[in-house]
């Protein structure tokens, strides 16, 4: 159906965006994909090695906050769909310095929306997050629940989420919003819980578990998330938000023990450390709305975790370059500037 469409994917060199681009080419071999990415520390062209030379793939290095550059991209490629994955995405970094979060996750969304309005598009998908709802002790959040973001990351993502909605209400822009659970899988930057702990365990390093290790996250395999985003793009209703859950809630200590088991390591590597400031206790999504639309995750946790651990075992070069700082040198050589 979408085989001749042009997708503008922002943040396509990051974890989920790069998986989504590869999924698009596997699903629609004739599709055109423009990847607009600033290549921050989290953006890595190596994530797209398998598609970078194929026809239909175009890479633009640039900032979504740069409205003039975004306008040039719209004029040059006339995208049918815009899927906004670009964001500063790590909660701990947002606690350390929120500045780039406010810029990219709010102003960046505005810059994209303004250009969509000016040049016209068929659909704008704002990739939001379950973190906009905040923490919930019992039960699950549905799409109409109140926003209660706790971290500067979650608050800035809430700003982007609501700005996108306002462009639907005010300007009739065809916007849909997705709010997914915690993702895991190949090419995730090794600062997030799962890739950090897998790669530390492979190197006999400690696994720093925050607080009592009993915070709960709902885990969604990245391939399922990509399919969910595409499903909403094709079947969602303008102005609506859709939760994309993994239906797989686990305490962090359970995730940690699974990683130790799959890497053949012992509990001795676990190190309880100072809790994260404002650490949300539990995330939980009610996904009945997207289920009614006809979508549900396919992966089973055990299988997806095995695949994930195996990927990091088979792709040591990828994460070692990042963890050792070698990627920073590569970046400077290729782009003539520091990250
Ligand atoms: P990531 O940090 O791995 O990748 C972000 C990408 O955006 C990078 O390639 C980076 O270079 C790019 N980027 C950052 N600022 C930019 C800017 N100003 N202009 C252009 N490009 C820029 O993030 P991810 O984990 O792949 O998350 C992707 C999206 O999904 C984000 O919007 C995030 O909020 C959302 N999300 C993530 C999760 C998760 O578990 N990772 C869950 C729900 C929602
Ligand atoms: P993270 O991967 O940073 O995702 P998010 O904060 O967006 O949910 O963290 C997932 C959970 O793991 C969260 O409860 C914080 C916890 N965590 C640790 O215990 N240790 C760590 O080193 C990291 C990065 C996270």
């Amino acid at each position: 159906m979408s085989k001749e469409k042009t997708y503008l994917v922002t943040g396509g060199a990051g974890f989920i965006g790069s998986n989504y681009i590869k999924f698009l080419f596997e699903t629609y071999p004739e599709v055109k994909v423009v990847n607009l990415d600033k290549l921050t520390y989290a953006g890595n062209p190596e994530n797209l090695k398998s598609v970078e030379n194929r026809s239909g793939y175009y890479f633009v290095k640039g900032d979504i906050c740069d409205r003039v550059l975004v306008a040039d991209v719209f004029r040059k490629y006339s995208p049918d769909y815009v899927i906004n994955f670009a964001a500063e995405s790590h909660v701990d970094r947002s606690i350390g310095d929120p500045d780039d979060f406010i810029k990219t996750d709010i102003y960046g969304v505005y810059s994209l929306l303004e250009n969509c309005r000016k040049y016209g598009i068929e659909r704008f998908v704002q990739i939001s997050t379950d973190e906009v709802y905040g923490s919930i002790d019992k039960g699950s959040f549905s799409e109409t629940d109140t926003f209660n973001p706790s971290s500067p990351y979650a608050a800035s993502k809430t700003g982007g989420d609501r700005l996108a909605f306002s462009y639907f209400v005010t300007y009739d822009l065809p916007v849909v919003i997705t709010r997914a659970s915690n993702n895991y899988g190949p090419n995730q930057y090794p600062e997030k819980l799962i890739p950090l702990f897998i790669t530390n365990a492979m190197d006999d390093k400690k696994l720093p578990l925050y607080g009592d290790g009993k915070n709960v996250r709902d885990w969604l395999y990245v391939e399922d998330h990509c399919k969910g985003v595409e499903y909403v793009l094709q079947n969602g209703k303008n102005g609506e938000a859709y939760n994309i859950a993994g239906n797989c809630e686990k305490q962090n200590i359970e995730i940690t023990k699974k990683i130790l088991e799959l890497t053949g390591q012992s509990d001795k590597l676990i190190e309880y450390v100072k809790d994260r400031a404002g650490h949300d206790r539990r995330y939980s999504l009610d996904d009945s709305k997207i289920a009614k639309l006809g979508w549900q995750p396919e992966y089973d946790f055990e299988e997806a975790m095995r695949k994930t651990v195996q990927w990091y075992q088979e792709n040591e070069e990828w994460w070692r370059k990042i963890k050792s700082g070698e990627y920073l040198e590569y970046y400077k050589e290729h782009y003539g500037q520091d990250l």
Side-chain angles (χ1 to χ4, degrees), residues 130 136 181-182 184 193-194 209 212-221 245-259 261-262 279-285 299-305:
D130 61 354
I136 187 166
S181 301
N182 281 61
Y184 64 107
L193 178 75
I194 289 183
L209 203 47
D212 64 2
K214 290 185 179 162
N215 297 64
V216 173
R217 296 291 182 268
D218 174 45
W219 292 97
L220 173 66
Y221 190 56
N247 290 322
C248 178
E249 289 182 31
K250 306 269 178 215
Q251 290 185 341
N252 292 337
I253 182 67
E254 293 177 80
I255 297 288
T256 306
K257 288 195 169 163
K258 176 52 69 185
I259 289 170
E261 178 199 316
L262 291 172
H279 194 177
D280 281 332
R281 191 64 176 169
R282 174 172 173 261
Y283 294 145
S284 182
L285 291 177
Y299 272 92
D300 150 77
F301 176 72
E302 291 286 329
E303 183 198 354
M305 274 302 283

Side-chain angles (χ1 to χ4, degrees), residues 10-19 35-44 47 60-66 84-90 100 103-105 108 126-131 153 157 178-184 187-189 191-192 218-220 222 225 244 339:
T10 64
F15 164 47
I16 306 172
S18 63
N19 276 282
N35 174 12
L36 169 60
D37 196 300
K38 184 180 176 183
L39 296 182
T40 66
Y41 77 96
N44 187 340
N47 296 350
V60 180
K61 182 181 177 314
D63 189 336
I64 59 166
C65 298
D66 182 342
N84 181 32
F85 289 96
E88 285 296 330
S89 69
H90 191 43
D100 283 342
K103 287 179 184 139
T104 295
D105 300 6
Q126 171 61 13
I127 307 295
S128 187
T129 165
D130 61 354
E131 304 199 24
Y153 163 67
K157 288 294 292 186
T178 61
R179 300 187 188 129
S181 301
N182 281 61
N183 279 222
Y184 64 107
N187 294 112
Q188 187 168 26
Y189 196 87
E191 65 185 350
K192 303 274 166 55
D218 174 45
W219 292 97
L220 173 66
V222 66
H225 185 195
I244 306 183
L339 247 180

Side-chain angles (χ1 to χ4, degrees), residues 170-205:
T170 310
Y171 306 111
D172 215 15
L173 196 74
V175 167
V176 285
I177 297 159
T178 61
R179 300 187 188 129
S181 301
N182 281 61
N183 279 222
Y184 64 107
N187 294 112
Q188 187 168 26
Y189 196 87
E191 65 185 350
K192 303 274 166 55
L193 178 75
I194 289 183
L196 177 71
F197 280 18
I198 294 171
T199 55
N200 277 10
M202 284 173 68
D203 277 347
D204 300 316
K205 285 191 183 146

